[in-house]
Amino acid sequence: MPVNVGDNPLARKVYQFKSLQPCNLNGCTRKEIREYFENTYDLDEFVFAGIKEERSFYLCPDRLRLPLIFYVAHPATLYINKLLLAGLITKRVNRHFEALFETGVDEMSWDDTENYRMGGSYQWPSLAKVLEYRRQVKEVVIDVIENAPLEFPITQQSPWWSLFMGMEHERIHLETSSVLIRQLPAGSVQKPTNWIYAPTQSSKPAGLNELITVPEGKVTFGKPVDFPSYGWDNEYGRVDMNVPRFEASKYLITNSDFLKFVDDGGYDKEEFWSAEGWKWVKYCEARHPIFWVCQDGCKSRCGAALAGYSHCRSSTGVERNGHASVNGVANNGKYCYRAMYDVIDMPWDWPVDVNYHEAKAFCKWKGPDYRLPTEAEHNRMRGDKAPSTDILCDPVYRKDTNHNIQLKYGSSNPVNLLPPTALGFYDVYGNVWDWCEDHFNGLPGFEVTYLYNDFSTPCFDGRHTMIMQVVSELSSRSTL
C-alpha cells in the first residue's frame, strides 16, 4: 500500500472554524463565489486535519463504506465531471482519478459485504497524489469562477448550476466524512486547532421531555423553482395539505431519554423491532447507539484491518485523548460519548445519534400511541409560512438566526440550549437530522436535472425513508 506512517500534511495548516453564507443566485460577485468555494474546500480538508497519520486514511472505519482516502478525493472529482457535463471546462484533470473516485459504495442496502475496493487489497493512490489532485482541481475551479461567462439569475438551466452543485455536494460530504472519522479509533485522531464543540449541558438540565399539542392546520412546503439558492432535485415541488391535530415532544430525543430503552434491554427484544430492523441488530450485534462507548468490548462496525477493533474496551478502559476519566467510566453511569475527535463524558442532554431502525424501535418501546413525525407534521411544528422566493425566509441568510447550523458548533448541542419556536419546540432547525415516517419520494412537480439525473430517483423505491436536515423554512430532504 503506497502509504506513509508519518504525519498528515493536512494537519499542518490552521483552519478557520467558519462557514460562509451561501451565494444569492439572483446576483453575487465573482469574489463572493470564489470565497464561498474556497471556504467549502478548506472546510472539507479541515475535517480530515484531525487524522494523525497518513496510514489511517486507508482504514475502513465503517465496513459498509470505502477507506477515508476515497472521501478526500471524491468531492473534487464531482466538480470536474459536472463542469465538463455543463460545458464550463473541456479537459479532464486526471481521467483515472475521475473514474476511480467518482462513485462510492452501493447505498441501497445496509448489509453489503465488503467489495474489492473496501477489503484492503486494492492499491489506493498515495495521500500526496490525492492532495495534489485536489490542488489541481482547485486551480481549475478558480479559473472558471474568474473567467467563465456569468449571467444572472443562476438557475437549474445555467451551466453555473454545476459549480454550485459541486460546492453543496462537498458540504454534504463534510457530514459523511465526519461520521466515518468518528468511527476511527480515538487514538488515531486529535481535535484540530479551532474546532469547537458545543457545551455538554445548558445552564439548567433539559428536564422532562413533555408533549406539545399542535392543532389541526394547513401546511405548504416545497422549494420554489426560482428561489435564489442552490437546491437538490428532491427539494422542489409543492405540497398543500391539511394536517390533523397531533402531539410531539418539545425536545429531540436525548441520550438520557434513550438510555431508558437501552437499560430496559431494548436491543435484546425482537418485539420492538421491524423484521429488517431486527436483522440489522443481529448483523451488527448492536447493544447501544453507535457513538456511545462502554467497557463491554462491544463489536464495532469497522471493516477490513479494523474489523476486530472495539471502541468499547473491556479491560484497558476507554481511549479518551487525554480527557479526564476514572478507568474510562463516564459521569452518570457506564457510558462515554464519541464526539468528532474525542471520547468525552456522556452529554445526556444532547440528541441521541441513531438510525431509522433504532428510532422506530424506541417508538415501539414507548407504546402504541408513539411514532415518528411525518414531514408535514414537522413543517407544522416549525410554524412556517408558505414558501416564498424571498431569500430572507431562509434563516441561513438572516443575521438574527440562532440555530446550530452553518457550523455554529462542530458537534450536537444540548436540546434546550437554543431558543424554542413560538409553539414551544426546540431544535426544529439545525442541530441534527430528524427521522420522519414518510417514504422518501419526490414532491408533486418533481423533476430531475440533467447534471445529476440519479441523485434521488433510485431511492424512490418504498424502502427508503425520510430524514430531514432543517436549516431553513425550505428544508433539505434526504434519505439513508
Side-chain angles (χ1 to χ4, degrees):
M1 182 176 293
V3 55
N4 270 319
V5 297
D7 66 354
N8 168 15
L10 291 173
R12 300 169 197 163
K13 179 177 177 179
V14 176
Y15 299 86
Q16 295 302 309
F17 191 79
K18 181 180 181 180
S19 178
L20 294 182
Q21 186 181 88
C23 297
N24 183 336
L25 301 189
N26 277 342
C28 52
T29 66
R30 291 180 188 268
K31 180 175 181 291
E32 289 171 332
I33 298 172
R34 177 169 176 170
E35 287 175 346
Y36 188 69
F37 164 68
E38 290 179 335
N39 178 241
T40 301
Y41 224 64
D42 279 352
L43 287 175
D44 195 9
E45 294 181 358
F46 191 2
V47 169
F48 291 102
I51 298 175
K52 291 181 180 178
E53 296 183 327
E54 180 177 350
R55 61 185 172 189
S56 294
F57 285 86
Y58 299 88
L59 299 175
C60 287
D62 190 308
R63 59 180 150 166
L64 303 184
R65 293 293 178 266
L66 294 167
L68 288 166
I69 190 68
F70 173 86
Y71 300 96
V72 180
H74 171 64
T77 66
L78 187 127
Y79 285 106
I80 298 303
N81 290 329
K82 300 308 180 185
L83 291 174
L84 277 166
L85 188 59
L88 286 177
I89 60 174
T90 58
K91 295 181 180 179
R92 292 193 172 277
V93 174
N94 182 320
R95 182 179 295 274
H96 173 59
F97 276 25
E98 283 138 23
L100 172 63
F101 293 108
E102 179 183 25
T103 305
V105 298
D106 179 8
E107 297 179 346
M108 300 304 286
S109 178
W110 52 260
D111 60 351
D112 298 339
T113 56
E114 293 181 357
N115 63 34
Y116 178 61
R117 290 188 299 168
M118 296 166 71
S121 59
Y122 188 80
Q123 297 298 299
W124 291 95
S126 69
L127 180 59
K129 289 181 178 178
V130 168
L131 294 181
E132 173 60 18
Y133 175 74
R134 281 187 59 87
R135 186 194 65 77
Q136 293 171 345
V137 170
K138 184 176 182 179
E139 288 184 352
V140 170
V141 174
I142 289 174
D143 182 67
V144 168
I145 294 170
E146 298 291 349
N147 299 302
L150 174 59
E151 295 181 0
F152 293 102
I154 297 173
T155 68
Q156 294 183 54
Q157 287 70 47
S158 166
W160 280 69
W161 194 257
S162 63
L163 174 61
F164 287 91
M165 176 179 286
M167 290 188 280
E168 298 310 322
H169 169 263
E170 186 157 26
R171 286 173 178 257
I172 286 176
H173 276 276
L174 297 178
E175 298 193 60
T176 305
S177 299
S178 70
V179 170
L180 295 176
I181 291 169
R182 287 176 75 184
Q183 294 178 74
L184 281 174
S188 300
V189 297
Q190 59 187 2
K191 184 156 68 78
T193 301
N194 295 331
W195 192 271
I196 301 171
Y197 296 142
T200 55
Q201 57 188 10
S202 186
S203 58
K204 59 181 180 180
L208 184 64
N209 199 352
E210 300 170 324
L211 296 178
I212 295 175
T213 299
V214 180
E216 179 179 354
K218 294 182 179 180
V219 68
T220 299
F221 57 94
K223 187 168 187 172
V225 70
D226 53 349
F227 192 84
S229 71
Y230 180 83
W232 297 102
D233 56 7
N234 63 71
E235 298 175 42
Y236 294 99
R238 182 181 174 102
V239 170
D240 296 279
M241 65 182 300
N242 190 65
V243 180
R245 174 187 175 276
F246 66 96
E247 293 180 316
S249 60
K250 69 177 182 179
Y251 300 132
L252 300 169
I253 301 303
T254 65
N255 288 309
S256 180
D257 294 329
F258 205 81
L259 177 65
K260 300 177 182 67
F261 171 74
V262 175
D263 283 349
D264 194 40
Y267 284 84
D268 296 321
K269 298 178 180 178
E270 185 176 357
E271 61 265 29
F272 298 141
W273 300 82
S274 67
E276 185 174 12
W278 188 243
K279 284 174 60 180
W280 172 82
V281 170
K282 305 308 286 184
Y283 176 79
C284 294
E285 300 180 33
R287 309 292 301 168
H288 52 67
I290 188 170
F291 298 125
W292 290 18
V293 181
C294 69
Q295 291 194 79
D296 294 340
C298 302
K299 182 178 179 180
S300 77
R301 302 173 198 176
C302 304
L306 290 176
Y309 175 79
S310 174
H311 301 285
C312 301
R313 299 299 184 87
S314 57
S315 57
T316 59
V318 176
E319 295 179 276
R320 296 173 66 89
N321 284 0
H323 286 253
S325 64
V326 180
N327 295 324
V329 178
N331 60 335
N332 294 338
K334 65 181 285 188
Y335 295 105
C336 297
Y337 179 85
R338 174 60 185 268
M340 184 69 176
Y341 301 103
D342 303 278
V343 176
I344 64 176
D345 287 337
M346 176 62 77
W348 293 109
D349 285 345
W350 285 13
V352 67
D353 307 293
V354 294
N355 65 24
Y356 176 76
H357 298 307
E358 292 166 297
K360 289 288 287 183
F362 176 82
C363 292
K364 187 73 174 293
W365 170 79
K366 287 285 290 182
D369 295 330
Y370 291 84
R371 58 170 172 79
L372 300 173
T374 65
E375 182 178 11
E377 288 169 343
H378 205 286
N379 277 269
R380 285 286 291 150
M381 292 162 65
R382 301 202 304 268
D384 291 345
K385 300 176 183 177
S388 75
T389 58
D390 179 5
I391 201 165
L392 293 181
C393 82
D394 187 338
V396 169
Y397 293 95
R398 295 201 299 260
K399 294 181 179 179
D400 63 348
T401 295
N402 193 8
H403 311 295
N404 188 2
I405 60 176
Q406 290 289 96
L407 279 183
K408 183 180 182 73
Y409 301 113
S411 70
S412 304
N413 62 259
V415 294
N416 63 333
L417 180 68
L418 302 174
T421 65
L423 291 174
F425 292 105
Y426 291 77
D427 289 325
V428 292
Y429 294 103
N431 203 354
V432 292
W433 289 80
D434 299 340
W435 287 111
C436 291
E437 284 286 349
D438 310 59
H439 288 303
F440 183 60
N441 214 325
L443 301 176
F446 168 84
E447 294 181 352
V448 300
T449 170
Y450 78 98
L451 290 169
Y452 206 152
N453 60 13
D454 61 349
F455 179 76
S456 298
T457 51
C459 298
F460 295 170
D461 58 1
R463 298 186 66 233
H464 287 75
T465 48
M466 281 283 299
I467 187 170
M468 299 179 65
Q469 183 193 41
V470 185
V471 296
S472 77
E473 294 173 10
L474 305 170
S475 303
S476 181
R477 310 167 75 243
S478 190
T479 186
L480 284 177

